[in-house]
Amino acid sequence: MIDSQALLAVLRRAPVVPVLIVDRVEDAAPLARALVAGGLPALEVTLRTPAALDAIRAMADVPGGVVGAGTILDPAQARDAVAAGAKFLVSPGATPAVLDAALELGVPLLPGVATVSEAMMAREKGYRVMKFFPAGPAGGPNYLKALASPLADVIFCPTGGVTAENARDYLKLPNVVCVGGSWVAPADAVKAGDWSRIEALARDAAAIRP
Ligand code: 3PG
């Protein structure tokens, strides 16, 4: 049984979920603190670097934050992420194995979908909140708008190609709860430890209104 309400409660806390690539574990806590201070509490740490699981552990202690794991490609990664403290999972696609693994773990998953059939398959397993990925290349706001009527009980978090400039175009759609994006934590700012710049980007993102 999927607790869509618990996931929505997290995703509704801010309009943007930062998508994070953490190369150095020592960056994790200050990065999370800057984003939370800027008003973005839900954080997605992608499992794309060797430091990712330790980064999740480090961020889990940051007050006010809710740390999830992204780029979940298989059940083993889902289990590892939850063991590290991830409170939600995000996958770029929606394989039956990953959909089932999250159900078994009892941890909210945002499965990635880019087509109506993928959304219907995730829906058949009980999922009602999904990541629309890659949002820009897959069709952007117009595509997502066209899903609102036929998939009336599905809510999306578009991610991939979402920017400060176009986020509002997604957020104003009735079937969008939030957007995901990496623009609030640019690689050069993380590398330089420029946490004040990241906090300012987070503040601007948190202020985006539909
Ligand atoms: C990703 O998987 O990299 C995310 O969707 C972020 O995409 P973005 O870098 O276009 O925001």
Side-chain angles (χ1 to χ4, degrees):
M1 180 65 188
I2 292 144
D3 191 351
S4 296
Q5 291 310 318
L7 183 55
L8 284 172
V10 172
L11 299 179
R12 282 196 182 113
R13 287 176 62 182
V16 180
V17 175
V19 177
L20 307 171
I21 297 174
V22 182
D23 286 309
R24 300 177 304 199
V25 68
E26 57 268 33
D27 292 336
L31 173 59
R33 279 196 291 269
L35 292 163
V36 172
L40 302 181
L43 311 173
E44 176 190 335
V45 178
T46 57
L47 298 194
R48 297 182 199 174
T49 64
L53 290 174
D54 284 334
I56 290 169
R57 282 186 198 96
M59 288 184 175
D61 293 333
V62 172
V66 181
V67 183
T71 324
I72 299 290
L73 300 180
D74 55 51
Q77 287 184 325
R79 286 191 290 273
D80 289 347
V82 172
K87 295 288 184 270
F88 64 94
L89 305 172
V90 186
S91 59
T95 65
V98 169
L99 294 171
D100 290 342
L103 287 171
E104 281 161 26
L105 287 162
V107 172
L109 165 71
L110 264 182
V113 303
T115 69
V116 176
S117 293
E118 289 164 4
M120 287 172 64
M121 282 187 275
R123 189 181 172 283
E124 283 171 9
K125 288 193 182 275
Y127 289 86
R128 294 291 183 275
V129 190
M130 305 177 194
K131 160 170 155 159
F132 176 49
F133 178 81
N142 282 342
Y143 185 103
L144 209 42
K145 188 177 180 186
L147 303 189
S149 180
L151 299 177
D153 58 358
V154 180
I155 298 173
F156 295 93
C157 174
T159 305
V162 182
T163 65
E165 289 70 38
N166 67 17
R168 190 172 287 106
D169 296 337
Y170 291 98
L171 289 165
K172 68 186 181 194
L173 300 176
N175 55 345
V176 168
V177 60
C178 64
V179 300
S182 62
W183 85 87
V184 287
D188 61 334
V190 177
K191 197 169 179 203
D194 191 348
W195 312 124
S196 58
R197 180 178 160 211
I198 290 174
E199 184 177 332
L201 285 166
R203 190 159 284 121
D204 288 346
I208 298 173
R209 293 287 171 268

